[in-house]
Amino acid sequence: MQLQQMYQEIILDHYRDPHGSGLREPYDAETHHVNPTCGDEVTLRVKVEGNRVADVSYETLGCSISQASVSVLHDLLVGTSIEQAWRILDSFQEMAQGRGQVEPDEGVIGDGVAFAGVAKYPARVKCALLGWMAFKDAVSRTDAKIETVDTEGSPA
């Protein structure tokens, strides 16, 4: 039970003091996503330099889960390569959609492990993934080289 309390604290910390919040310039792409189930919204901007995520800025409106999740996204993805960002995103998405059956890898998703419990509540999964899907959409609108990686780690 102590682990669950720690995870709740991580989510509340990111909700109360969101990292990277506020739309910034310059940016390469902007996207706006809405969760039709609950009405949560995110407007997300991404700045890519070469093959690296230089910045992610955003404005959110919604529950603590959606707001905290995009704050964690900012911490995990800014400064990474696009390929690494994709691996982190895939790992977070797999955990969130795993219905509580996927053991999160803290070495890959850091504070994202705090959202493992969300996987047990299908209505909350979309909240946790809202910012992540907006990031994926925004990067796809840039000129960044986007590669998927197969299970052996080779470009697909």
Side-chain angles (χ1 to χ4, degrees):
M1 190 59 163
Q2 211 170 16
L3 188 60
Q4 273 301 72
Q5 288 174 333
M6 184 183 77
Y7 286 169
Q8 288 174 350
E9 236 358 88
I10 290 170
I11 291 171
L12 287 174
D13 286 348
H14 277 276
Y15 171 68
R16 291 178 187 138
D17 183 24
H19 304 170
S21 181
L23 295 174
R24 290 184 292 283
E25 293 188 18
Y27 62 95
D28 295 311
E30 178 181 282
T31 188
H32 181 81
H33 281 218
V34 176
N35 179 347
T37 306
C38 64
D40 288 0
E41 298 182 32
V42 65
T43 300
L44 185 138
R45 291 178 176 172
V46 66
K47 175 68 179 159
V48 176
E49 292 175 356
N51 195 30
R52 299 197 80 66
V53 178
D55 191 29
V56 174
S57 64
Y58 59 91
E59 286 184 348
T60 59
L61 177 64
C63 70
S64 59
I65 299 287
S66 65
Q67 292 187 47
S69 183
V70 75
S71 175
V72 168
L73 173 150
H74 173 271
D75 287 355
L76 290 173
L77 302 186
V78 171
T80 66
S81 70
I82 297 295
E83 289 179 38
Q84 182 64 24
W86 247 233
R87 283 191 282 277
I88 295 167
L89 185 150
D90 288 345
S91 184
F92 186 88
Q93 185 174 3
E94 178 185 22
M95 176 204 61
Q97 293 176 329
R99 299 183 187 260
Q101 303 302 310
V102 175
E103 187 67 32
D105 184 345
E106 188 174 1
V108 175
I109 62 172
D111 279 353
V113 300
F115 297 88
V118 171
K120 297 175 185 172
Y121 305 98
R124 305 302 285 181
V125 169
K126 287 183 180 180
C127 299
L129 288 176
L130 183 65
W132 295 83
M133 296 302 98
F135 173 81
K136 190 174 187 177
D137 184 28
V139 171
S140 72
R141 295 172 187 228
T142 71
D143 292 333
K145 181 181 175 191
I146 300 169
E147 288 184 350
T148 57
V149 177
D150 67 21
T151 54
E152 280 91 42
S154 304

